[in-house]
Amino acid sequence: MQQNLFYAAKNKNTICPQPHRATTHGRCAHSIIRLAVCKKNGGDFLLRIEDTDQNRFVPGAEQYIIDALHWCGITIDEGVSVGGTHAPYRQSERKEVYRSYAMQLVASGNAYYAFDTAEQLEQQRKNAEEKKETFSYGSATRMSLNNSLALTVEEVKELISKNVPYVIRLKVQENETITFTDLIRGEVSFDSNLVDDKVLLKSDGMPTYHLAHIVDDYLMEITHAIRGEEWLPSAPAHILIYRYLGLTAQMPHYAHLPLLLKPDGKGKLSKRDGDRLGFPVFPLEWKDPTTGEVSSGYRENGYYPEAFVNMLAMLGWNPGTEQEIFNMNELIAAFSIDHVHKAGARFDPEKTKWYNTQWMLRQSDEDIAKRIKPMVASLTGITTDDVRLSDSFLTACVALLKPRVQFEKEMPEKGLYLFIEPTEYDQTVISKKWKPEFKDFFKMLSDEFTASNEWNSQIAEQTFKAAAEKNNLKPGEVLQLFRVFVSGQAQGVDLFPMIQLLGKNQVLKRLESALKLV
RNA sequence: GGCCCGUUCGUCUAGGGGUUAGGACAUCUCCCUUUCACGGAGGAAACACGAGUUCGAUUCUCGUACGGGCUACCA
């Protein structure tokens, strides 16, 4: 799943562009921000696949990201799944484009060939580590390494003619202060002596992210490069590449978004945290094709995409008002990058549930009824021609159940007694409340119910109270028993509305069965 | 270690030189409900620390501490 996927947004008016990128889990949050920035500026949202690391190719990951974005309600205007004028959108299919830019940098003296093997560099790092130093391939060390700056022209030619593998590295000028403006953090500056000579083109001919994203952002007319904070340290190198390419004027605005942190402990939220702490980190369930490992998804756990998006958006961003429920359009309308927080946000699974409940409350009973119908059918074995599976019955059940659950998928199980007769009765209530003399009351109640011509919750309640009075009972003494006799449970939906919904015959039947057992 | 970024209730956050420092989640109490929830009311709960600037700093500056990120031919 570590496939690198890139979203970008561009503004077709060529004025204020913007790119965006994201992966799959909590980084959906970044995509939402990207989309908001993009749409707020009237731009197009672009999906680019950054698959330059061939070792990390994961089958299915590309389709997964498209599906996940779709589920979130993010529409892609241009890119790998929909095409566009800047195709191809997979970086692996654009290899030659990057090479030409790398060569341009070599020609202008801003990049060079390096022949050092992975082993040699590893050794350098080890040596440095022993001296408690950090090896950095840069201005301080490049002249003592195996590259076209340190070698003679002849040596370089020979190595190349012998097909010795090489990479192309950026030649960072020394003694400079590199400053740029981050849309979220303001002015940020770095000492160029501390920026390493990043690999631009790998020995397999593929570009690194550093080169590829710049070339593509430029070619695809990206106006805003919005990415996670983990990219901030390499931003100076990116600024330099634009400069050396003579594209400073075309450089997009950069913004580095805060990271999502683990709910407990420390560090950035990772895939493992989800299963460890019992909440999903993936929008959709993901099965790793190589390990077969399955990671749960928000969708499969019963979350609404609106709730997922809403929750993510509110992590690190705020509208500046006290509104907290937003759909995507409202989000875009209210969005301002000024209200993006700088610090990382600790992810809170509890609040996510709350968002889901809020969105559930906003669903119509009819819609929920339609969705839970298959679950009710399989749970109860009731067939579709039964009234209990009718839209009207189900809708009434939903209305009763709705304030009592956080997820609509809890309804069938939690409201099982609405569909099938109880087989067990809450013994705590019975042993605590039941007295043999109550039998007369329930007998009378049955008779009065039988005799009544009309059936609704008010009448049932009046009948109940009247019967209690005639037996010199307070309603409270027998009410809880009545509930248990009808539903089997000590707690549940509003009693008399339930009585109305169940219908006279069903209530009488349940009462009779229960009375036989006490 | 070095570099960069950050730091307001337990958590997500608003605010910004003079405020009773506001909201939300969670938590507690009460009300509603003769159940459980929902809902309503209320409580407890925060400006990391130290200097400086200032009449006055939570807010500006600098340090310190703490947290995070990066330090790959990964993104």
Side-chain angles (χ1 to χ4, degrees), chain A residues 6-19:
Chain A
F6 199 98
Y7 311 108
K10 68 165 187 181
N11 185 312
K12 274 194 171 142
N13 301 327
T14 69
I15 311 167
C16 73
Q18 54 214 7

Side-chain angles (χ1 to χ4, degrees), chain A residues 34-322:
Chain A
R34 288 184 187 99
L35 181 76
V37 172
C38 173
K39 292 304 171 190
K40 195 74 188 176
N41 288 300
D44 285 348
F45 196 65
L46 190 150
L47 171 60
R48 182 168 80 216
I49 304 294
E50 304 206 317
D51 55 351
T52 56
D53 186 351
Q54 301 180 313
N55 299 321
R56 294 213 288 180
F57 175 76
V58 177
E62 181 179 311
Q63 189 56 46
Y64 178 91
I65 194 76
I66 292 167
D67 294 344
L69 288 171
H70 179 74
W71 184 69
C72 289
I74 295 176
T75 307
I76 296 158
D77 300 308
E78 178 181 337
V80 81
S81 54
V82 293
T85 53
H86 303 91
Y89 294 96
R90 268 183 212 95
Q91 293 184 327
S92 60
E93 296 168 11
R94 303 167 61 80
K95 213 170 159 181
E96 288 317 307
V97 179
Y98 309 117
R99 169 165 287 274
S100 71
Y101 280 87
M103 286 312 166
Q104 186 186 325
L105 288 167
V106 171
S108 62
N110 291 303
Y112 58 90
Y113 296 86
F115 302 94
D116 318 84
T117 63
E119 295 71 35
Q120 288 168 337
L121 293 175
E122 189 51 42
Q123 193 51 244
Q124 292 282 353
R125 284 188 193 99
K126 263 190 193 150
N127 295 156
E129 206 174 314
E130 278 166 24
K131 287 184 270 178
K132 286 203 160 187
E133 287 167 9
T134 307
F135 169 72
S136 174
Y137 206 125
S139 54
T141 55
R142 63 167 84 105
M143 291 314 286
S144 60
L145 290 157
N146 200 12
N147 57 54
S148 63
L149 260 24
L151 269 21
T152 65
V153 177
E154 287 69 31
E155 286 172 321
V156 172
K157 274 186 182 163
E158 194 186 338
L159 287 169
I160 290 175
S161 70
K162 280 184 178 167
N163 287 324
V164 173
Y166 63 85
V167 300
I168 291 178
R169 285 183 182 269
L170 181 69
K171 185 183 170 192
V172 177
Q173 308 277 327
E174 45 217 280
N175 303 325
E176 271 187 52
T177 298
I178 305 159
T179 301
F180 73 100
T181 302
D182 181 286
L183 257 25
I184 294 168
R185 288 151 213 284
E187 202 167 87
V188 184
S189 45
F190 296 82
D191 177 353
S192 76
N193 295 339
L194 268 8
V195 177
D196 63 334
D197 286 353
K198 292 201 185 309
V199 170
L200 264 19
L201 210 61
K202 301 185 263 190
S203 57
D204 64 0
M206 279 290 188
T208 57
Y209 166 80
H210 307 295
L211 208 221
H213 96 273
I214 286 171
V215 169
D216 286 345
D217 280 359
Y218 165 62
L219 260 15
M220 295 177 185
E221 303 170 81
I222 301 309
T223 57
H224 290 65
I226 301 174
R227 60 207 338 188
E229 196 185 355
E230 71 268 28
W231 288 107
L232 201 46
S234 51
H238 304 331
I239 304 299
L240 252 21
I241 296 172
Y242 274 105
R243 187 187 299 170
Y244 298 158
L245 247 18
L247 295 174
T248 301
Q250 286 77 21
M251 189 172 83
H253 300 293
Y254 274 100
H256 292 90
L257 265 17
L259 267 15
L260 245 47
L261 272 19
K262 298 177 197 295
D264 62 344
K266 307 159 187 312
K268 128 174 118 161
L269 184 67
S270 74
K271 282 180 275 186
R272 287 190 181 78
D273 296 317
D275 295 321
R276 181 173 64 84
L277 266 17
F279 62 84
V281 292
F282 286 94
L284 318 179
E285 186 175 279
W286 166 252
K287 185 176 178 184
D288 189 299
T290 50
T291 64
E293 183 193 354
V294 176
S295 305
S296 65
Y298 278 89
R299 182 225 258 159
E300 290 73 13
N301 276 267
Y303 287 87
Y304 299 108
E306 293 87 347
F308 179 68
V309 166
N310 200 157
M311 170 279 289
L312 250 20
M314 301 307 277
L315 239 33
W317 173 81
N318 74 82
T321 66
E322 283 179 359

